[in-house]
Amino acid sequence: MNTSVSCVACVKGLIDPPQCGSLAGLSVADACTTLTHEIRTLQMDKRKVSTLFLDIKGGFDNLNSSTLGSMMSARGINPYLVSWTQSFLSGRSCRLLFQGWPKTFSLVSVGTPQGSSVCPLLFVIYVSRLHSEIPFGLTLSYVDDLALTVSLASYRRNIQLLQGHYTRIKAKGIHLGVGFSIPKTELIHWRTNRDRHPPSGTPIHLDVELFRPKEEIRWLGYWFTPSLSTTPHFTKRLAKAQAAFVAIKSLSPPGMGLPPFLCDRLASSLLFPILGSWGEVFTPTVHMLRKLSAFTHKTQTWCTNCFLCTATNILAIKACLPPLDWLFSYKRRLAGLRILCSPSQLNTSTARLPPSVETRSQHRHASDNRSLLRGNAGHRNPLPWRCPRTPTKNRAYLPLDAITHSLLFLLGSDGLAQLPVTC
């Protein structure tokens, strides 16, 4: 049923393209990649970019079945599917279980049941009205996490524009019976490494609350910084991996404990996923990669019970654990392959690829700001798709261009004809 509702909602326009949550073939990586791509695109046009992160407060508990049914009927959804949705969300009761409370049930008229995979999808359809087009900006969401991105000539004008968009979204939320969590509201002003001006401290005033821009924001599991540096994120991942390594290392002291093949399984299933988190989207710097590699060498020494002076290339082969630079390159190619093979009508990352990229569909999103780069002769230029990527120090590329450009060796004369379809 989840697949049927998802397909019908996408075809009938019940789901906005920048909505990335609870849909087949979409993940948090697509949301973060799209956000980073749009930020870099707008910065190439010498714009000041700001993002306001919002969190819908108690959204699943405030879903109104009659409002959702009217939304589906207005879009021409089959009456059978509308009736099934209303029946699924109505006729429920609950009770509180604690000492001294009578065991009586009470009717529940709003909210979604817990434990069903279709509930987040119905919530995504319910809050699709909160999405609106932002000129030279982006409204992006993942289930109940919303990100409003605007770009103008100054951060102060960005704040005024964000306040206006927040007022309109709040009015739509009141009509739907949902609100936004004040403690989870965050603001960030993006900047480039070439900005010589001090970081902007312009705050935003929302609902009698003052929100100042932050230096680090955690959104969908990734740590963003104003300069989009990956070092803070991978530093935190390294700290978590080191803490986990201390815990599992006590299970196998030298000469006793777990056998080597179980140590290798622990390292490959626990430590490497922690280190490689978001490696398919973001690449660590050379200095950070050395720190991560030093930790993996310790892990390989523990798995093989070899001497500390053993050559690192021998350790990697003996422990059957790949070097991190190979692992990151492999994950980025898998991510690029998934983006290329995804339908551009459903995947917001695929819809922002250059028109010259061969995909299953030539559809491109109308809100893509790539048109701002026409005639751009600066040091940041779009990556030509059919040209080999040259390691130029003074040139930066768009994130999606860099990810998909690593798959040129797969795109021969037949293009994507031999690649599978993902949805």
Side-chain angles (χ1 to χ4, degrees):
M1 199 64 185
N2 190 12
T3 305
S4 301
V5 175
S6 175
C7 294
V8 172
C10 293
V11 172
K12 295 295 185 178
L14 281 172
I15 297 177
D16 200 72
Q19 290 183 278
C20 300
S22 302
L23 298 174
L26 296 178
S27 64
V28 293
D30 295 303
C32 291
T33 304
T34 302
L35 178 62
T36 307
H37 178 83
E38 288 298 319
I39 292 170
R40 288 304 189 196
T41 305
L42 295 170
Q43 286 178 339
M44 288 183 183
D45 196 40
K46 299 181 180 180
R47 292 172 173 267
K48 303 298 183 182
V49 187
S50 303
T51 301
L52 180 66
F53 296 95
L54 303 172
D55 183 85
I56 300 177
K57 179 175 58 177
F60 291 91
D61 298 332
N62 297 319
L63 192 149
N64 191 299
S65 59
S66 59
T67 303
L68 179 61
S70 62
M71 292 172 57
M72 298 175 68
S73 300
R75 289 287 184 173
I77 303 298
N78 192 320
Y80 169 79
L81 188 59
V82 177
S83 300
W84 179 90
T85 303
Q86 292 181 336
S87 175
F88 177 75
L89 297 175
S90 59
R92 297 179 293 110
S93 60
C94 69
R95 66 180 179 180
L96 300 177
L97 296 178
F98 59 90
Q99 188 176 2
W101 186 261
K103 298 181 179 180
T104 57
F105 286 90
S106 300
L107 294 178
V108 179
S109 58
V110 295
T112 59
Q114 301 293 327
S116 175
S117 60
V118 75
C119 294
L121 178 59
L122 295 178
F123 177 76
V124 169
I125 298 174
Y126 186 71
V127 298
S128 60
R129 291 183 178 180
L130 300 181
H131 280 251
S132 60
E133 293 290 337
I134 300 179
F136 305 111
L138 176 66
T139 302
L140 187 67
S141 70
Y142 190 88
V143 190
D144 59 346
D145 294 314
L146 197 66
L148 305 179
T149 303
V150 298
S151 65
L152 288 173
S154 64
Y155 293 115
R156 189 174 298 275
R157 294 182 61 186
N158 286 349
I159 293 299
Q160 298 174 357
L161 188 59
L162 284 174
Q163 289 174 336
H165 284 291
Y166 174 79
T167 302
R168 288 188 287 271
I169 290 179
K170 180 183 176 182
K172 295 179 181 179
I174 293 176
H175 178 71
L176 296 175
V178 298
F180 298 100
S181 175
I182 292 180
K184 296 182 179 180
T185 301
E186 296 175 312
L187 172 70
I188 188 170
H189 295 309
W190 308 102
R191 52 188 287 116
T192 64
N193 295 327
R194 293 177 175 267
D195 287 342
R196 301 307 178 192
H197 300 286
S200 176
T202 307
I204 187 171
H205 191 269
L206 303 173
D207 296 338
V208 201
E209 293 287 339
L210 190 66
F211 300 93
R212 300 189 179 277
K214 293 188 175 182
E215 294 299 324
E216 288 184 357
I217 287 181
R218 187 176 185 268
W219 192 63
L220 303 182
Y222 181 80
W223 288 91
F224 287 95
T225 61
S227 61
L228 291 177
S229 173
T230 60
T231 300
H233 172 78
F234 285 105
T235 300
K236 291 178 173 58
R237 303 307 300 181
L238 177 59
K240 288 188 176 181
Q242 290 173 341
F245 182 61
V246 171
I248 65 175
K249 192 177 180 180
S250 60
L251 301 176
S252 180
M256 58 185 300
L258 296 177
F261 76 93
L262 289 181
C263 296
D264 176 77
R265 183 169 297 181
L266 280 175
S268 59
S269 61
L270 178 62
L271 300 181
F272 271 66
I274 296 177
L275 288 177
S277 175
W278 294 97
E280 67 275 10
V281 179
F282 303 99
T283 305
T285 60
V286 176
H287 181 67
M288 193 67 227
L289 186 59
R290 290 174 182 172
K291 291 185 177 180
L292 297 175
S293 300
F295 173 74
T296 57
H297 296 159
K298 294 181 180 179
T299 306
Q300 294 166 355
T301 303
W302 172 70
C303 293
T304 58
N305 201 17
C306 292
F307 294 104
L308 296 177
C309 59
T310 307
T312 56
N313 55 351
I314 298 178
L315 280 175
I317 298 175
K318 189 173 179 61
C320 298
L321 297 174
L324 280 184
D325 53 346
W326 293 8
L327 179 62
F328 286 141
S329 177
Y330 172 73
K331 297 183 68 172
R332 287 177 66 83
R333 288 179 177 178
L334 285 183
L337 185 61
R338 185 178 61 83
I339 291 175
L340 283 179
C341 296
S342 298
S344 56
Q345 294 87 348
L346 304 179
N347 195 320
T348 181
S349 298
T350 309
R352 282 170 169 77
L353 291 174
S356 59
V357 178
E358 298 178 5
T359 57
R360 295 292 180 182
S361 172
Q362 294 302 319
H363 168 78
R364 294 297 182 265
H365 202 275
S367 64
D368 187 15
N369 296 300
R370 191 181 291 270
S371 59
L372 296 174
L373 306 182
R374 294 175 181 174
N376 187 350
H379 64 278
R380 298 182 178 90
N381 297 323
L383 181 62
W385 176 248
R386 284 302 180 184
C387 299
R389 182 178 180 181
T390 56
T392 305
K393 182 178 180 181
N394 296 326
R395 175 172 295 178
Y397 301 107
L398 293 176
L400 281 174
D401 292 6
I403 291 176
T404 53
H405 196 269
S406 61
L407 297 175
L408 278 179
F409 68 97
L410 289 177
L411 302 179
S413 58
D414 297 334
L416 295 177
Q418 304 299 326
L419 297 182
V421 179
T422 60
C423 61

